Amino acid sequence: MNTKVTLAGVELKNPVMTCSGTFGSGMEYGEMIDLDRLGAVVTKGIANVPWPGNPTPRVTEVYGGMLNAIGLQGPGVDVFMKRDVPFLRQHDTKIIVNVCGKSESDYVDVVERLADADVDMLEINISCPNVKEGGIAFGQDPKCAEQITKAVKKVAKQPVIMKLSPNVTDIAEMARAVEAGGADVVSLINTITGMKIDINKRTFALANKTGGMSGPAIKPVAVRMVYQVANAVKIPVIGMGGIMTAEDALEFILAGATAVSIGTASFINPDTTIQVIEGIEAYMKKYGVEDIHELIGAVH
């Protein structure tokens, strides 16, 4: 049975990876699960300098998921390269570094500094607010998305995954824009913007007022968007958004995703990624599927 998939020349032993921001940089979960079994570890967003993140409270539960407004808190690329890359390299898994920034030059700076790092791929988070454009996310304007892709591709030594924001009118248009900019792979969806109000305190549940919604409630939206994008571009698609089980992951694969990422579920059960890997294998056995590629995009 073949569960191997290839993304822009990088071979993964199986299509299951973690979602950026929900798995730290791998070390945090290393004592709980066998990282060697994962197709890839996708790190928390890495910026060119340390980011303090947003004021608290910045996480709240909602029906069917959670809202977060962490604000991409992180130690910055220098600490990441010194501490996290050597740790991950001890494991037999691919390393995908999620990159964030507040301006085009921020992104380019991180990507240049990662050029000689021993990492396999870069995932560019274009749901970040573009400070120079008054806070609109890079991923909400097709021209802007294409431009940032081109800028990153110019300096990247590793294949580039562009992570799309679902907070747009036409997700296929955004995917075509980053493909035109030279993206090697596209991943989606990032979180959906939401809000929760505490009626007893008569205030916002998050200090930031709004946050990114993740968890099982967003899955039908994510599956639809992955299907649309897989049919709009020629580059591989990584699907994510509310995956809790192998059945959920298989929906994304059948919709056209070559690989899948698991996020919020890891907070509830750190073993979810492993259970999904085993569940996909069990499904393939049950239905006599010899090769995972028979399933990718099988639903038209």
Side-chain angles (χ1 to χ4, degrees), residues 104-105 107-108 126 130 133 138 141-154 162 177-178 180-182:
E104 189 181 297
S105 60
Y107 283 99
V108 169
I126 54 171
N130 182 348
E133 299 296 331
F138 288 92
D141 174 346
K143 284 193 183 69
C144 189
E146 183 177 347
Q147 173 56 37
I148 194 90
T149 309
K150 278 183 175 153
V152 163
K153 276 296 289 178
K154 249 188 212 133
M162 299 304 286
V178 299

Side-chain angles (χ1 to χ4, degrees), residues 98-260:
N98 184 280
V99 175
C100 49
K102 291 175 178 156
S103 65
E104 189 181 297
S105 60
D106 282 358
Y107 283 99
V108 169
D109 187 16
V110 180
V111 171
E112 281 181 327
R113 282 151 79 177
L114 288 168
D116 300 318
D118 189 9
V119 300
D120 299 290
M121 302 182 86
L122 307 177
E123 181 183 61
I124 312 301
N125 176 8
I126 54 171
S127 298
C128 299
N130 182 348
V131 288
K132 291 208 166 68
E133 299 296 331
I136 180 170
F138 288 92
Q140 285 177 317
D141 174 346
K143 284 193 183 69
C144 189
E146 183 177 347
Q147 173 56 37
I148 194 90
T149 309
K150 278 183 175 153
V152 163
K153 276 296 289 178
K154 249 188 212 133
V155 295
K157 294 266 171 48
Q158 299 90 345
V160 169
I161 305 163
M162 299 304 286
K163 186 171 185 178
L164 301 184
S165 168
N167 304 307
V168 295
T169 312
D170 184 353
I171 194 77
E173 181 187 23
M174 299 307 302
R176 283 191 289 263
V178 299
E179 184 180 41
D184 299 293
V185 182
V186 65
S187 67
L188 66 151
I189 62 174
N190 209 324
T191 53
I192 294 175
T193 308
M195 181 182 278
K196 180 181 179 179
I197 290 169
D198 183 325
I199 60 163
N200 298 309
K201 293 180 183 166
R202 298 185 196 179
T203 186
F204 299 99
L206 297 173
N208 195 56
K209 296 183 182 172
T210 62
M213 181 163 173
S214 61
I218 73 167
K219 192 193 79 183
V221 177
V223 172
R224 183 263 297 177
M225 288 191 172
V226 164
Y227 175 77
Q228 283 180 300
V229 167
N231 287 287
V233 297
K234 295 190 170 62
I235 54 178
V237 176
I238 300 167
M240 66 194 77
I243 298 174
M244 306 294 285
T245 63
E247 289 77 7
D248 294 336
L250 285 156
E251 276 192 63
F252 282 91
I253 291 167
L254 290 167
T258 299
V260 291

Side-chain angles (χ1 to χ4, degrees), residues 1 34 43 53 66-67 76 85 122 140 142 160 181 212 222 233 237 245 265 275:
M1 216 168 51
D34 180 2
T43 70
M66 64 183 270
L67 291 174
V85 176
L122 307 177
Q140 285 177 317
V160 169
V233 297
V237 176
T245 63
Q275 289 174 6

Side-chain angles (χ1 to χ4, degrees), residues 40-64:
V41 170
V42 183
T43 70
K44 189 165 167 40
I46 303 299
N48 58 341
V49 292
W51 280 10
N54 287 329
T56 56
R58 49 192 194 177
V59 177
T60 185
E61 283 195 54
V62 291
Y63 185 76

Side-chain angles (χ1 to χ4, degrees), residues 224-300:
R224 183 263 297 177
M225 288 191 172
V226 164
Y227 175 77
Q228 283 180 300
V229 167
N231 287 287
V233 297
K234 295 190 170 62
I235 54 178
V237 176
I238 300 167
M240 66 194 77
I243 298 174
M244 306 294 285
T245 63
E247 289 77 7
D248 294 336
L250 285 156
E251 276 192 63
F252 282 91
I253 291 167
L254 290 167
T258 299
V260 291
S261 287
I262 290 158
T264 301
S266 292
F267 293 142
I268 303 155
N269 172 13
D271 204 37
T272 305
T273 43
I274 307 300
Q275 289 174 6
V276 169
I277 291 164
E278 290 170 351
I280 290 171
E281 288 170 0
Y283 175 91
M284 288 171 71
K285 279 200 186 85
K286 181 181 175 183
Y287 289 102
V289 178
E290 289 295 314
D291 191 319
I292 190 96
H293 292 84
E294 291 171 42
L295 301 174
I296 298 168
V299 173
H300 296 296

